[in-house]
Amino acid sequence: VHQSVVSSVGGRADLPCNMTSPISSDDPALLILWYKSGIYKPIYTLDLRSDPPTHWKNPSVLGSRASITFHPSSTSTFHPSSSSYHSSSSSSSTHYYPSSSSSTSFHSSNHPPSSSSTSSSSTSTLVLQRVKADDEGAYRCKVSFRTSPTLTAITNLTVIVPPRRLSVYTDLGLEARSIVGPFTEGDTLGLTCRATGGSPLPDVTWWEGTALLDITSEVATLDLVTNTLVVPTLTRRDLHRTLTCQAANSNLTAPLLTTVTLDMNFPPLWVRLRSSREPVSAGQEYVVVCQAAGARPPATLTWRLGPTLLPTHHTKTSEGGNITTSEVLLRPEVEDSGKVLSCLAHSPAVPTRPLRDDWLLNVYYVPESILRPGSSLNLTNIEEGDDVYFECSVKANPWVYKIIWLHEDDELQHNVTGGIIISNQSLVLQRVSRTASGNYYCVASNIEGDGKSNPVQLSVKYAPVCRDPQVTYHGAARLEQVNIPCQLDAHPPPYLYRWTFNNSGESVDIPKDHIQAGDSGSTVSYTPNTELDYGTLLCWGTNTVGHQTRPCVFHVFPAGRPDPVYNCSSYNLSIGAVYVRCVAGFDGGLPQTFVMELYDNHSDTILLGNDTGKIPRFRVSNLPSGRTLRVKVFSTNAKGRSDIVFLNVYTLKDMAEKRTAAVKPSPPQGQSSGGVGGVGGVVGGVVGVVLGVLVGLLLVLILIPPPPPPTLTTPLPPLLLPLLPTDSPIRNSDEKNPDVIPHAECEGVTTISSVTLPTNYVVTLPHTRHLYTQPKVKVDGGGSEVTSGVATPPYTPSPPRIIGRRYTQRRDTQGSDNEATTPLIPSQKESSV
């Protein structure tokens, strides 16, 4: 049996071998031997007599590139090793294998049949990966059976070898790369494409895009094929023309391509001055524009003013390179009047006469102003209180009709009282201050325009002053280090800083090792260890001008984490929303923020919603109805977070579906409903009366204004909020009205802050027995007891945190257990309630 297989270099070749006995299908194959023409020893053997079968490859011929696969056809049953195999697939063979990535991949899960297998017919395949040119030849497969004679099959493998190299050469014998040329208009183009190698020899053709230009190939040698393309009389249209040479010898491989692009040089077509040719003013700057078009490479533009070459100009080229634009900054002088400004354009690659365009200048004279300080003035040593004067020299034609003075961009006005004296062409500044520092100009104007002078910078020296004159406050806990910056304005910069600490009893200098100095300020590291270390820090600076007269003031006050909220409760029970309000605890001396987090009652990891605000009043909507939810409430400030307060809240059940289902359908049309209708009329009347009464009560509750919220100048009334025990079941909507009006006395929520409290304020705390009940109680991290509906402090209130030298605690003289009062010490700025 003879078969032919065609593959390409780098591809894959499948060489089939029939393993079916020609006499009996029950006679299994025992040994497979593969030979190649010219090699007398086997190149691959597969011994099926052993289990598992034994493979051997000739390393000098195939190496690791060869393998044998099996393709059983019809029904095949064998038992290799301990596994069994059954297949009904049919054998197939592939005769063409292009050298693409998809053709080199191979997947097979078939196992070689053992000597005990029974098969009606099967085929094995010798697979060659990464085919080489040397692999071409005749391959012979010999299959030995148990009883049948040896079966031999021959397969001829043809390997397609693509061309090794494809190159393009010019008429001068130079190899062309991606760009060929440059050529000029009228030249004749001749390009020769050479293809080296390939089996069989390739066809060499010229293309322009999809258009075939030349198909005439010439075989120069046994290993070289050429094709010459001739294009006579090149024009401007041939610029960037793309020509492709192609060499192909098989459909199994991609053709070898080489593309060249024509490059051409052209002289400019025209040159023009685009600027207006109106009269110009001496000393004024003008941008003069010149354009040239049609040159390749871009034209070179040069400028001349009379016989003088102007070297400074800016040139740019358009995106396509067809138009070249040059800009020159012209500042004509008086002697330039009558001269010719010329723009010349030429192509450096084409030897032609340059093109030019001329402009005859008509120059007007505009003011030229020069500003100088007074001859006896040293601007490097001006201090506050000195007098400064400037002189403005002007040259103009016609003469100026006004001269103005500028400090930066602000015009100065004559003001003798303010120390500004303007006289003709001089400026006098009396008793200057540090605000007089900056750049000064004089501007002379005539009918041609305004001539602004050079700037003269005035730097006034002054002693250090605070950059921010306001008193600043810094909160710090005990043993907490705070870094307080003292920013100063001074010229020259300070070279010495001094810090002192003041309280009601003493004034102490801060050690130098706690002070860090810089060019614009100083920073002190301060740590309050006791209550006596809270007070005022003062900062001074000194430079070569003098000492700072007014120090920078910084107040250090006690600050810490905020206290937890208390008296938390839910209100306005509804189907899909939760409303919670609390009373704020002490803010720790710093602004605090309140946070509520809502979790599933059975898991603290499922966050259902949260709310944040400056007051402890929260609202979370879009919640499931008829659920028990767990709430965490806490506050934060710059020093940290308070202890967490826990409570349980509820959403009402949605009974809309239940009520809808309870409505009976109307009786069928035509049936009598007289008795039912009579009873329904009576019931409807009673329901209408009840609804009217309820609406009236609701209007009364809405129209009656609630009492005003407690203020900081009056004692806080006890908060009587309803408690909801955790073990109480959720009521149905017909037992609980969701439209609950909140308690009026809790509508205004006041944050207790030491910053806002007056020094003589006395806080009235509600006694615990007004708020404490006996449902399930939890204790949070701060030691506060929390009920399911209301979070309250323990029954025995702990003494308040007072930062100061002493504090007092008293109860009312009547011995009442309703409230306890704690006065704040008037001399302290910070206190906890």
Side-chain angles (χ1 to χ4, degrees), residues 334-580:
V334 177
E335 57 272 15
D336 294 332
S337 183
K339 292 183 178 180
V340 176
L341 179 66
S342 302
C343 176
L344 296 90
H346 71 281
S347 176
V350 181
T352 58
R353 186 176 180 179
L355 303 180
R356 64 183 297 163
D357 192 13
D358 298 331
W359 177 15
L360 181 62
L361 297 181
N362 184 13
V363 180
Y364 288 170
Y365 195 77
V366 294
E368 295 180 357
S369 304
I370 300 176
L371 180 63
R372 299 184 181 90
S375 58
S376 61
L377 201 62
N378 183 7
L379 291 182
T380 62
N381 193 26
I382 302 298
E383 298 182 1
E384 286 187 308
D386 294 346
D387 294 341
V388 179
Y389 65 96
F390 300 96
E391 294 178 352
C392 182
S393 300
V394 179
K395 180 181 179 182
N397 183 27
W399 187 243
V400 297
Y401 58 84
K402 71 173 181 178
I403 298 178
I404 63 173
W405 295 85
L406 300 179
H407 177 209
E408 297 297 346
D409 293 330
D410 299 328
E411 183 178 352
L412 299 177
Q413 303 293 338
H414 183 76
N415 185 359
V416 178
T417 304
I420 301 176
I421 301 175
I422 299 176
S423 175
N424 199 7
Q425 295 175 224
S426 64
L427 169 66
V428 179
L429 302 176
Q430 297 178 329
R431 300 177 302 278
V432 295
S433 64
R434 63 177 179 271
T435 59
S437 298
N439 291 323
Y440 286 83
Y441 307 86
C442 67
V443 181
S445 304
N446 67 359
I447 59 175
E448 296 300 323
D450 302 328
K452 190 175 183 180
S453 71
N454 57 294
V456 175
Q457 185 177 17
L458 175 64
S459 298
V460 179
K461 296 182 178 180
Y462 58 94
V465 295
C466 296
R467 183 169 299 174
D468 184 5
Q470 301 296 327
V471 177
T472 59
Y473 295 82
H474 296 268
R478 288 189 183 184
L479 304 180
E480 178 190 3
Q481 177 178 310
V482 292
N483 296 320
I484 301 176
C486 176
Q487 300 294 331
L488 302 180
D489 286 332
H491 178 65
Y495 64 86
L496 180 64
Y497 294 91
R498 176 181 170 226
W499 286 81
T500 62
F501 171 76
N502 291 347
N503 58 15
S504 57
E506 58 182 348
S507 175
V508 179
D509 288 338
I510 303 298
K512 293 184 178 180
D513 56 352
H514 289 200
I515 300 173
Q516 295 181 355
D519 292 338
S520 60
S522 172
T523 301
V524 65
S525 300
Y526 186 75
T527 304
N529 297 320
T530 65
E531 65 273 11
L532 298 179
D533 293 333
Y534 292 101
T536 302
L537 288 170
L538 303 178
C539 170
W540 289 271
T542 303
N543 65 358
T544 57
V545 177
H547 301 284
Q548 182 176 348
T549 57
R550 296 176 60 88
C552 303
V553 182
F554 309 91
H555 291 314
V556 181
F557 61 90
R561 295 189 305 119
D563 289 348
V565 298
Y566 61 94
N567 277 8
C568 293
S569 64
S570 62
Y571 64 99
N572 275 7
L573 299 180
S574 64
I575 295 174
V578 166
Y579 301 83
V580 174

Side-chain angles (χ1 to χ4, degrees), residues 586-665:
F586 176 59
D587 60 4
L590 297 170
Q592 62 178 338
T593 303
F594 300 92
V595 180
M596 181 189 77
E597 296 178 350
L598 199 62
Y599 294 87
D600 187 83
N601 190 39
H602 302 289
S603 174
D604 285 345
T605 61
I606 303 177
L607 180 64
L608 300 180
N610 61 355
D611 193 12
T612 304
K614 295 298 182 181
I615 60 174
R617 173 168 291 185
F618 313 99
R619 175 184 181 272
V620 177
S621 57
N622 297 327
L623 297 173
S625 61
R627 295 283 293 277
T628 301
L629 307 172
R630 184 175 177 81
V631 174
K632 296 181 181 180
V633 182
F634 57 90
S635 61
T636 62
N637 65 8
K639 297 300 180 182
R641 190 181 73 176
S642 71
D643 295 334
I644 300 176
V645 175
F646 299 86
L647 71 153
N648 290 339
V649 297
Y650 309 91
T651 57
L652 299 178
K653 288 184 177 180
D654 186 2
M655 300 303 293
E657 296 182 1
K658 181 177 179 181
R659 290 193 297 270
T660 303
V663 177
K664 295 183 179 180

Side-chain angles (χ1 to χ4, degrees), residues 95-140:
H95 299 282
Y96 294 92
Y97 305 95
S99 57
S100 61
S101 58
S102 60
S103 66
T104 58
S105 61
F106 175 71
H107 305 277
S108 176
S109 60
N110 294 341
H111 299 278
S114 64
S115 59
S116 62
S117 64
T118 61
S119 174
S120 60
S121 62
S122 62
T123 302
S124 66
T125 302
L126 177 62
V127 179
L128 297 182
Q129 302 285 355
R130 303 182 301 279
V131 173
K132 302 179 180 178
D134 297 339
D135 292 336
E136 185 175 81
Y139 290 80
R140 183 163 46 96

